């Protein structure tokens, strides 16, 4: 049965208003459905419409409130959403509109939210990162080289004392950052408070011995009130960072935690566990670009975005676009991706992680530049001579790359790096 009024959401001559939110979707109409019908359905169901005309429709014109299909070009449809459709500062509501029911409709075979252009009034209703790239660099006193870090491995199973020792070895070996893994919270074998206490104590020891600032990104992921309690504990014990699994926690909880950071003043590290369920299928779901923009607006200071050279899916082209989109003030229109002016929303630090080891550092820095946070777990703790050597090898690979020295050449005088590239090889 043909829906009655979806085509009234088509307005290809519509003149976009400065307060409109603009979305680009990649779409494939279902069999027997025209591109216009499918596009109208997306606009209707993501704004004011439903499949049949309504007796409850008020006399006054609310058509202006409805979303408008402004462009259909090959596989892409562009839709303009009047600002009044949304509650400013409420990310869950905004996503329930533009990324809600639309993915389940029979009118489409597949649908992917590719990019969003955010109106200024909406951007101003979010806090953005408290620290961002420059704030994190200032905290660590590292001016322009990539930050290097590790994840304590194995991701689960170590007790608090073992965890703290692995972290200490990584810092002692020269790494800036140690983080908990995305699924380590407060399990029977590793209690949150005990872990933090032991690890922060050894962080301070490593800082004294190396003379360098060190960072511990402790995972507070839990029920929202519990997350706030854990963040307060980190603050009280003098730890500067908290880590949150942004998707499994949800954007409502993430906004709550970001609000708490105004008082607690912790840096927020965002892990994107579960993103693949949304981002992996290039025809259906939500792009990592959109998830990154949502996190920048809400105010995560740094976010995992991929490596292209490591173990996780993601192309150099897509990841490079995301690095530019989250770290720059202006982003130009590129193909079907929209231009953006981030105004006063601070740049969010790009985190490259997943299957990295010293041998992959040259292409990583060549592709994405120096404003990245490099995280290697197996690539440090899997070093044949252990964590301290693994940490040294990662730092050495960064130093060699920044000084444009071939890794094999540099390894001749740096045995830790030699150990790493003998085991894992290297890319130029
Ligand atoms: C990396 C990692 C990170 C992934 C997440 C892991 O460990 O700790 O969670 O990087 O993926 O558990 O796999 P390794 P992404 O260094 O040992 O691979 O950054 O793509 O979100
Ligand atoms: Mg992990």
């Amino acid at each position: 049965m043909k829906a009655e009024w979806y085509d009234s959401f088509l307005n290809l001559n519509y003149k976009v208003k400065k307060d409109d939110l603009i979305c680009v979707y990649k779409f494939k109409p279902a069999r027997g459905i025209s591109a216009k019908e499918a596009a109208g359905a997306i606009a209707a169901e993501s704004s004011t419409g439903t499949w049949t005309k309504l007796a409850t429709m008020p006399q006054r014109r609310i058509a202006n409130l409805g979303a408008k299909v402004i462009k259909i070009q090959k596989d892409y449809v562009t839709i303009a959403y009047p600002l009044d459709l949304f509650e400013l500062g409420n990310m869950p509501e905004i996503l329930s509109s533009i990324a809600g029911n639309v993915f389940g409709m029979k009118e489409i075979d597949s649908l992917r939210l590719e990019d969003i252009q955010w109106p200024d009034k909406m951007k101003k209703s979010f806090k953005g990162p408290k620290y961002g790239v420059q704030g994190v660099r200032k905290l660590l006193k590292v001016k322009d080289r990539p930050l290097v870090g590790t994840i304590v491995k194995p991701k689960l199973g170590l007790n608090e004392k073992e965890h703290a020792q692995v972290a200490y070895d990584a810092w002692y070996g020269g790494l800036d950052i140690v983080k908990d893994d995305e699924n380590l919270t407060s399990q029977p074998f590793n209690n949150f408070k005990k872990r933090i206490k032991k690890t922060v104590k050894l962080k301070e020891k490593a800082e004294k011995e190396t003379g360098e600032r060190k960072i511990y990104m402790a995972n507070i992921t839990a029920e929202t009130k519990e997350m706030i309690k854990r963040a307060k504990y980190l603050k009280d014990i003098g730890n500067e960072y908290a880590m949150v699994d942004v998707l499994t926690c949800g954007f409502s909880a993430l906004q709550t935690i970001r609000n708490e950071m105004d008082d607690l003043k912790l840096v927020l590290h965002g892990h994107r566990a579960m993103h693949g369920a949304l981002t992996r299928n290039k025809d259906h779901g939500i792009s990592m670009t959109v998830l990154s923009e949502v996190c920048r607006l809400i105010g995560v200071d740094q976010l995992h975005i991929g490596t292209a050279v490591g173990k996780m899916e993601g192309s150099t082209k897509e990841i490079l676009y995301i690095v530019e989109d989250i770290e720059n003030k202006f982003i130009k229109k590129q193909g079907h991706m929209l231009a953006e002016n981030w105004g006063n929303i601070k740049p969010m630090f790009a985190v490259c992680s997943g299957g990295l080891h010293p041998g992959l550092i040259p292409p990583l820095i060549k592709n994405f530049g120096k404003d990245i946070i490099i995280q290697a777990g197996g690539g440090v703790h899997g070093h044949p001579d252990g964590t301290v050597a693994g940490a040294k090898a990662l730092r050495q690979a960064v130093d060699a790359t920044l000084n444009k020295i071939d890794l094999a050449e540099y390894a001749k005088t740096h045995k830790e790096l030699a150990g790493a590239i003998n085991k894992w090889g290297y890319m130029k």
Side-chain angles (χ1 to χ4, degrees):
M1 180 175 58
K2 189 170 172 336
E4 282 171 39
W5 59 317
Y6 284 163
D7 46 15
S8 66
F9 291 83
L10 289 168
N11 189 342
L12 301 175
N13 304 316
Y14 175 74
K15 201 166 169 330
V16 172
K17 297 193 178 72
K18 78 172 181 45
D19 286 346
D20 288 344
L21 178 135
I22 311 292
C23 289
V24 173
Y25 297 88
K26 185 178 182 187
F27 78 128
K28 186 166 174 245
R31 183 197 291 266
I33 301 284
S34 72
K36 282 189 172 174
E37 270 176 282
I42 299 164
E45 295 286 354
S46 57
S47 64
T48 56
T50 189
W51 60 278
T52 186
K53 287 221 165 95
L54 303 166
T56 50
M57 197 52 84
Q59 292 313 313
R60 71 179 182 284
R61 268 179 63 74
I62 69 163
N64 294 342
L65 201 53
K68 293 122 179 101
V69 174
I70 57 174
K71 192 161 74 172
I72 302 175
Q73 205 171 27
K74 286 213 199 114
D75 305 339
Y76 297 96
V77 55
T78 306
I79 300 178
Y81 296 83
L83 191 65
D84 289 350
L85 277 169
F86 305 106
E87 180 186 350
L88 296 183
N90 182 343
M91 191 58 80
E93 184 276 327
I94 294 167
L95 294 174
S96 293
S97 290
I98 60 176
N101 291 357
V102 283
F103 295 109
M105 295 188 314
K106 285 182 179 165
E107 271 77 12
I108 49 147
D109 238 12
S110 62
L111 181 71
R112 190 175 199 246
L113 177 53
E114 292 280 336
D115 197 12
I116 301 174
Q117 189 176 68
W118 308 82
D120 288 351
K121 284 185 184 147
M122 190 178 276
K123 280 179 279 194
K124 289 192 176 109
S125 72
F126 289 98
K127 292 178 186 288
K130 187 167 182 56
Y131 297 93
V133 175
Q134 290 321 319
V136 168
R137 284 197 172 286
K138 200 161 158 233
L139 184 74
L140 266 163
K141 298 192 173 61
V142 174
K143 281 219 175 58
D144 69 352
R145 70 166 165 76
L147 305 183
V148 273
T150 187
I151 310 103
V152 172
K153 301 281 179 181
K155 47 178 55 180
L156 295 181
L158 298 181
N159 63 31
E160 301 88 354
K161 189 160 177 276
E162 291 161 337
H163 180 99
Q165 185 58 48
V166 170
Y168 170 77
D169 291 347
W171 284 313
Y172 181 77
L175 297 186
D176 306 303
I177 295 169
V178 171
K179 66 180 274 296
D180 290 343
D181 227 320
E182 72 280 354
N183 54 356
L184 177 64
T185 53
S186 196
Q187 282 95 330
F189 56 82
N190 195 316
N191 170 272
F192 179 81
K193 282 190 175 173
K194 284 192 204 147
R195 173 173 81 247
I196 303 307
K197 211 168 179 182
K198 287 186 187 308
T199 308
V200 168
K201 200 154 163 246
L202 290 186
K203 176 174 86 96
E204 286 153 5
K205 179 169 184 282
E207 285 183 326
K208 276 203 199 84
E209 290 167 351
T210 61
E212 290 183 335
R213 286 301 308 273
K214 301 294 181 182
I215 288 293
Y216 174 39
M217 304 198 282
N219 190 0
I220 62 169
T221 299
E223 177 274 329
T224 310
K225 286 206 181 97
E226 181 56 31
M227 275 205 285
I228 297 171
K229 273 195 221 144
R230 291 179 188 185
K232 285 187 174 145
Y233 181 76
L234 291 175
K235 179 71 186 175
D236 296 346
I237 205 166
N239 197 57
E240 304 95 339
Y241 257 81
M243 161 183 162
V244 176
D245 297 342
V246 295
L247 292 174
T248 54
C249 278
F251 296 122
S252 167
L254 188 63
Q255 282 196 258
T256 306
I257 288 296
R258 174 61 186 87
N259 294 341
E260 289 293 324
M261 292 310 151
D262 285 343
D263 300 335
L264 297 177
K265 299 188 174 32
L266 301 178
V267 183
L268 259 186
H269 173 87
H271 193 290
R272 60 178 184 167
M274 197 167 78
H275 80 94
L278 298 169
T279 61
R280 181 89 193 238
N281 181 332
K282 303 307 174 199
D283 294 322
H284 190 81
I286 301 175
S287 71
M288 188 58 211
T289 300
V290 166
L291 296 180
S292 307
E293 295 187 354
V294 166
C295 288
R296 183 175 179 178
L297 275 176
I298 291 177
V300 172
D301 291 295
Q302 47 191 66
L303 180 73
H304 288 238
I305 54 130
T307 69
V309 290
K311 72 181 184 186
M312 299 292 189
E313 181 272 337
S315 70
T316 304
K317 183 167 175 264
E318 185 194 8
I319 295 168
L320 183 56
Y321 181 87
I322 298 172
V323 172
E324 291 169 358
D325 192 18
I326 65 173
E327 294 197 353
N328 294 348
K329 184 167 180 168
F330 301 102
I331 184 105
K332 284 202 281 332
K333 185 175 174 5
Q334 289 175 35
H336 62 275
M337 302 299 268
L338 302 163
E340 189 63 79
N341 170 354
W342 284 103
N344 296 328
I345 301 281
K346 284 187 184 144
M348 181 170 69
F349 227 140
V351 178
C352 300
S353 171
L356 292 179
H357 59 78
L360 296 177
I361 300 306
L364 197 68
I365 294 178
K366 193 173 82 194
N367 291 338
F368 307 125
K370 293 190 282 187
D371 265 340
I372 54 173
I373 298 177
I374 299 170
Q375 296 272 149
V380 165
H381 311 296
H383 190 283
D385 302 325
T387 298
V388 176
K392 286 184 177 172
L394 194 61
R395 266 303 278 273
Q396 290 163 0
V398 171
D399 296 344
T401 306
L402 294 181
N403 294 300
K404 301 195 172 17
I405 305 169
D406 178 78
L407 290 192
E409 194 53 40
Y410 206 67
K412 289 181 184 151
T413 52
H414 297 81
K415 64 179 176 13
E416 294 84 5
L417 181 57
I421 61 177
N422 288 344
K423 178 169 181 181
W424 294 304
Y426 76 104
M427 282 168 75
K428 292 207 184 235

